[in-house]
Amino acid sequence: MLSGPAGLLLTVAALAVGALALWQVFRPLSQGSKYYLIIFLAGVLPLVFLAYPSDLRLPARLRSRRPRADRAEATGSDSDGRVPAPASTRPTMTDWALSALAVAACLYPVLPIRIGSGGGGYNAFLDRQGLLAATDLVLGTVLLLLLLEACRRATGWILPAVCLLFLGYGYYGGLLPQSWPVAHAGLDFSQLVDAFYNSDSGFYGTPLDVAASYIVLFTIYGAVLELSGAGRFFVELSAAAFRRSRTAAGRTAVASGFLLGTVSGSGAATTVSIGAVTWPLLRRAGYPPERAGGMLAAAGVGAILSPPTLGAAAFIIAEYLGVSYLQVLGWATVPTVLYYLGILLAVEIDARRSGVRPVVIDVGSPWRLLARFGYHFASLIAIIVFLAIGVSATRAVVFAIVLAVVLSYLDRAHRLTPGRLVTALVTGVRGVLAVTAVCAAAGIITATTTKTGLGPQAAALLIGGAQAATSDPTLVLVLTALLAAVALSLLGLAVPVTASFVIGWVIVGPALLDLGVTAPAAAMFVFYFAVLSEVSPPTALAAVAAAAVTGGRLVPTMWQTLRYALPAYLTPIAFVITPAGLGLLGIGGVQRIAFAAGVTALSVAVLAVAAGGWLPGVGRAGVPERVLGALAGVTLLWLEPVPVTVGAALAAVAAAGVFVRRGAAGRSTSGSPANPVEEQL
């Protein structure tokens, strides 16, 4: 933590930003939302340079590690409501200079004084849109460079490099052969700066609006719940619920990930939180560090998918599609259940295949815990209720914060006194520093895409690639979805979840929409794969966090994480390839939703058996059965009567093969178990 003048300034500024965000909910600034965004960025961006060191003098090996950790921090409410750990080093003179420069560049549009041919106040600045003064151009360029440096400090080099790539495309795209699909007329530098600095699609576009209007409030809410003891209660409740189960340790880890995820919205943060408590249980049960780390990471990433506090990208979905946040929560509910179903099945399979030991968890009755501390659920339920009756998401979360503060006085040890309440407010704002830099920098990508028309051009390329392989419309859609999934997975390896979604939506989204996919399905498809980047090797931020907790080897931990989350990579395909897939998003009648959820649950179960090599209650699955199971699981995702029938038949054949294999093994040993540990379990 920072101390001295820097720490005091950070605390005071964070407190002021938090108070402004809360005030804006009920008494919006009369000048409009963009004016508020300018003030918000002016309060947050300078703090990034004080809280995150430059690290430019560190050895290359250490520099390559730090950004990954900071990327995990950058996904504050998304991957992007968590509290980052600010630097423990004191800011340098350069940091102070950059911080002061950030204040000047951010506040310039609203300063009521003339500066050369520019300045003059907010209205005068807006009047110069499309025809910037020299001062506008200079300070817009300064803010562009400051945002790139802030992203580098908070997330590493990759996102700034991607932003520079888009910037270069906007400037040099006119030099490309005009016969190329991605060629455009070209933009000069002043046009680009104008699009970034003085338009509604640049720095002050939808991503920053989401960070300033939603994410900051949810990070404050998460900090309030954490300080009120909710996090500890969720873990203890999970342990109490499964304390008599043979797989109590694994189930506790998964359930804790889900419960903490409902308030965290951050994969790596949830991984660390549940790992600190459940890793000792997993170690006693006999889990190797790598396997335990994979389980913790997969369970933690579900936080970004778990209602009611999804990741930052979910708020962007609501803004882009013009729907209520409650609708987005509804779309995410069934996929979240299926995601955790896959992990729980993998836990059960691992316990039986590997012979983990049952452990005794010394906790009380879950009913006693619920009776004493169940009030922690009240604010979560309140958010849903407020949204259901038409209250805006921002007001709903503020009311939930107030309720959580009042209820904290039921526990003497975690009462949110005025001093602790200030701590929660400051902590919540600190948790949004990096994601604010990411969201503002995402304006470079969105503005360039808008000005050049890159979105439709990239969509045409993607569809054209699929059409080159087949002319069948259905297969074109399937191939496009697969190509999009690969592209999104690769993109997510390099940038945080929020940026990955923004880029994916402007590039991949139009391709899916052009092929007739509905906007909710396309948006959730992109969102899902952006989230899964946190468990995808070779970066796998959640796995990095898990390995730090368990002390396991990093690469094996990543592969174990991938194995636990494997069914989740295929489920989003079902959103888009058939109309019945909308049932997974809770869209359609009860019959469609039940059919889609039931068949996909069977698919997830079969894929879990294929990945784990064990059929619970029967025994080990051989290679032929696992191959058949994988084919069955993939086929079942095509939610049409014939593919579902074929998939169910393949699954039945695979299960029959496991039964035959068990009988043969039993006869070969004349009734004695081949593996005493497995037989015991």
Side-chain angles (χ1 to χ4, degrees), residues 36 40 206-217 432 435-436 439:
Y36 165 64
F40 181 84
T206 298
L208 181 61
D209 190 13
V210 166
S213 302
Y214 297 97
I215 301 174
V216 64
L217 298 176
V432 83
V435 74
T436 298
C439 288

Side-chain angles (χ1 to χ4, degrees), residues 96-184:
W96 284 107
L98 291 176
S99 182
L101 197 58
V103 173
C106 290
L107 288 181
Y108 164 76
V110 299
L111 291 178
I113 57 175
R114 280 286 176 184
I115 303 176
S117 58
Y122 181 57
N123 291 331
F125 179 75
L126 294 182
D127 290 341
R128 293 192 297 273
Q129 186 174 10
L131 190 63
L132 296 185
T135 312
D136 301 334
L137 184 60
V138 170
L139 287 171
T141 304
V142 169
L143 184 55
L144 169 65
L145 297 175
L146 288 172
L147 284 172
L148 293 176
E149 169 61 10
C151 284
R152 185 199 65 79
R153 292 181 179 219
T155 70
W157 290 93
I158 301 298
L159 180 57
V162 172
C163 291
L164 288 173
L165 180 64
F166 274 83
L167 181 63
Y169 170 72
Y171 187 75
Y172 292 108
L175 302 179
L176 296 174
Q178 292 302 302
S179 59
W180 289 16
V182 294
H184 60 87

Side-chain angles (χ1 to χ4, degrees), residues 12 14 23 31 44 56 70 74 127 380 435 558 560 562 605 632 657:
V12 172
W23 177 269
Q31 296 89 341
V44 171
L56 287 176
D70 286 347
D127 290 341
L380 293 170
V435 74
M558 289 182 178
Q560 288 292 334
L562 182 63

Side-chain angles (χ1 to χ4, degrees), residues 457-557:
Q457 294 165 344
L461 279 176
L462 196 61
I463 296 173
Q467 290 175 336
T470 178
S471 59
D472 182 86
T474 302
L475 293 179
V476 168
L477 175 58
V478 173
L479 287 177
T480 301
L482 292 175
L483 291 173
V486 172
L488 290 169
S489 297
L490 293 175
L491 175 66
L493 300 179
V495 297
V497 171
T498 303
S500 179
F501 174 80
V502 171
I503 300 172
W505 179 247
V506 299
I507 301 298
V508 172
L512 297 175
L513 295 174
D514 288 346
L515 291 174
V517 176
T518 63
M524 293 304 291
F525 177 89
V526 176
F527 173 63
Y528 222 95
F529 278 104
V531 169
L532 290 174
S533 66
E534 287 218 357
V535 295
S536 301
T539 51
L541 299 179
V544 173
V549 172
T550 65
R553 294 169 295 165
L554 183 55
V555 174
T557 299

